[in-house]
Amino acid sequence: MGIFKTMGLREIINASGKMTALGASAVSDEIADSLRKAAQDYVDIDELMEYTGKVIAESTGAEDGCPVVGAAAGIAIATAAVIAGENLSLIEKIPDTAGIRNEVIVQKGQLVHFGASIGQMIRIGGGKVIEVGQANKVEKEHIEQAVTEKTAALMYIKSHHAVQKGMQPLETMLDIAQRYQLPFIIDAAAEEDFQKYIRFGADIVIYSGGKALAGPTSGMICGKKQLMTACRKQYKGVGRPMKIGKEGMAGLITALKQYPFKSSNTEQQMERMTALCRKLEKIDGLRCSIKQDEAGREIYRAQIQVDENKTGFSAEKLLYLLESGNPAIYLRHHYVNVGILSVDPRPLLPGQEDSIAEAIINIISEGKKK
């Protein structure tokens, strides 16, 4: 029996992805063991912080790294680092940065809500958000014309939450940042390739430790050595209330060392989702197909189109009933407003796709009897 079930909490079948609201990832035995051992021992935190930074650097190809408690904290700490650097007096003033270089340029379609606001994370780090362009269209000129003597950095949000069409590509942002000698920050929280953006030329890249990495609740910043030193220095300021502990760092290190040996299991994903679709398509009013992740990652989900006129249930109602059960089944619901639900195979335990199909079929069958 799982630990949360012993507390009287509902069992969860997570088919929505590596979602913070559901605890992100279930870690491997090796990572869990490192968490336990770290919790039962002592260490000089500054030394562990620097050692973790070296492991992050080895894994990402960056000059150095800084562990954080999550990618959201990484945005705040990275923002503070480009504004205050290693200047302790400025570090202690953040988020009050009036009168100093503090503007962070972000494309309007990328100022999204990921469970909280990207803009708020920047402001916590002392940044003044300068959003450029429109929600569905940004021109290169929008970005260039926003650069002033107050600009501290350019930031790009690589996320399925962000608008994918009409935004300027990474190449444009990097070119502008380099021409104006400004730091270029990429929030790549859920991305799977930990070396891609450093090779690309970014100065700072932020990742979650609990998503693609499948580590504990944690995150990492990687990039130029001077900037990473500045990131670690923010723990004397705004980073203090969001500090990562010894357990998080130990688990992050173990996850990073395991990552090169992980398989994306693409074929297995597609096999499991194809089997799920075959079962669901026997129900009148359900259409199921396999779709690749919106942001281009090697993730293949089952996409379920719900025809309310035939099933008797809207996608919203079906989602509600699934989440209300025990076990509670959480599907991916970014497009529930247009009748689409998705199943992400990555967090599913063996056989849970069968439980999902059975639950959906039972709900619709019972509804038709009434």
Side-chain angles (χ1 to χ4, degrees):
M1 182 183 291
I3 186 170
F4 300 116
K5 201 169 181 179
T6 66
M7 298 175 185
L9 302 175
R10 288 184 301 156
E11 180 184 351
I12 299 293
I13 294 179
N14 175 14
S16 63
K18 305 291 185 74
M19 309 301 286
T20 301
L22 297 176
S25 293
V27 302
S28 68
D29 289 340
E30 291 82 3
I31 294 171
D33 194 44
S34 68
L35 294 170
R36 179 185 63 80
K37 289 178 177 177
Q40 296 175 326
D41 205 350
Y42 297 95
V43 68
D44 183 303
I45 292 295
D46 287 341
E47 287 183 10
L48 179 58
M49 187 84 63
E50 289 197 19
Y51 176 76
T52 308
K54 290 177 181 176
V55 176
I56 292 169
E58 290 170 2
S59 299
T60 61
E63 293 178 7
D64 200 356
C66 175
V68 289
V69 75
I75 294 173
I77 288 173
T79 300
V82 297
I83 293 171
E86 298 177 54
N87 186 317
L88 186 58
S89 296
L90 292 180
I91 287 169
E92 291 177 345
K93 286 182 179 179
I94 284 176
D96 181 7
T97 57
I100 63 174
R101 182 183 292 189
N102 65 353
E103 294 180 354
V104 179
I105 297 172
V106 188
Q107 298 185 65
K108 192 179 184 76
Q110 295 182 354
L111 280 171
V112 295
H113 193 280
F114 61 94
S117 161
I118 290 283
Q120 185 177 22
M121 300 305 106
I122 294 171
R123 290 192 296 274
I124 288 171
K128 179 181 179 182
V129 179
I130 305 297
E131 60 179 62
V132 295
Q134 308 306 317
N136 64 342
K137 185 65 175 177
V138 179
E139 300 284 2
K140 183 178 181 180
E141 289 81 2
H142 286 132
I143 303 167
E144 290 181 311
Q145 291 164 9
V147 176
T148 71
E149 69 280 357
K150 288 291 190 70
T151 304
L154 276 66
M155 185 177 292
Y156 188 97
I157 312 301
K158 179 65 176 174
S159 169
H160 64 273
H161 292 294
V163 174
Q164 303 299 320
K165 294 181 179 179
M167 299 297 104
Q168 287 296 308
L170 281 161
E171 289 81 1
T172 300
M173 295 284 281
L174 178 65
D175 175 65
I176 294 170
Q178 290 180 339
R179 280 195 287 113
Y180 288 93
Q181 297 183 309
L182 293 166
F184 182 34
I185 304 170
I186 299 178
D187 169 29
E191 291 295 288
E192 299 171 317
D193 188 337
F194 297 141
Q195 299 186 352
K196 176 178 179 179
Y197 300 111
I198 290 298
R199 288 197 305 265
F200 177 76
D203 300 290
I204 297 176
V205 188
I206 302 158
Y207 294 99
S208 169
K211 294 195 173 174
L213 186 60
T217 299
S218 59
M220 57 184 177
I221 311 173
C222 58
K224 299 292 175 57
K225 188 168 187 63
Q226 185 176 358
L227 290 169
M228 294 305 100
T229 301
C231 283
R232 291 194 292 270
K233 197 75 177 278
Q234 304 312 308
Y235 281 106
K236 293 183 178 294
V238 72
R240 182 69 179 183
M242 56 184 81
K243 63 182 183 292
I244 183 170
K246 59 187 179 181
E247 304 88 353
M249 284 187 273
L252 178 63
I253 289 166
T254 303
L256 284 168
K257 290 184 175 180
Q258 284 186 343
Y259 194 72
F261 306 102
K262 277 185 64 177
S263 168
S264 62
N265 295 321
T266 300
E267 289 185 9
Q268 187 182 60
Q269 287 183 35
M270 296 185 75
E271 285 175 8
R272 295 176 75 183
M273 295 301 94
T274 298
L276 173 68
C277 282
R278 287 198 189 105
K279 292 181 179 180
L280 293 180
E281 285 188 329
K282 294 177 181 178
I283 302 298
D284 190 30
L286 296 182
R287 285 193 293 113
C288 191
S289 57
I290 310 300
K291 299 291 184 183
Q292 187 175 0
D293 175 67
E294 308 97 314
R297 294 173 294 174
E298 288 296 311
I299 305 168
Y300 294 87
R301 303 184 181 95
Q303 182 174 284
I304 307 164
Q305 179 78 52
V306 182
D307 185 337
E308 183 177 358
N309 294 325
K310 294 180 178 179
T311 62
F313 289 93
S314 66
E316 290 95 335
K317 180 66 173 178
L318 181 58
L319 181 71
Y320 169 77
L321 292 172
L322 288 168
E323 292 182 356
S324 300
N326 192 6
I329 298 174
Y330 285 81
L331 304 187
R332 196 173 185 85
H333 57 267
H334 294 81
Y335 302 106
V336 68
N337 61 308
V338 291
I340 294 174
L341 298 169
S342 297
V343 175
D344 191 322
R346 294 173 300 159
L348 291 179
L349 300 178
Q352 285 187 333
E353 64 271 23
D354 297 328
S355 299
I356 293 169
E358 183 180 341
I360 292 173
I361 292 168
N362 285 343
I363 288 171
I364 293 174
S365 299
E366 290 299 315
K368 287 182 176 180
K369 292 178 183 177
K370 295 178 180 178

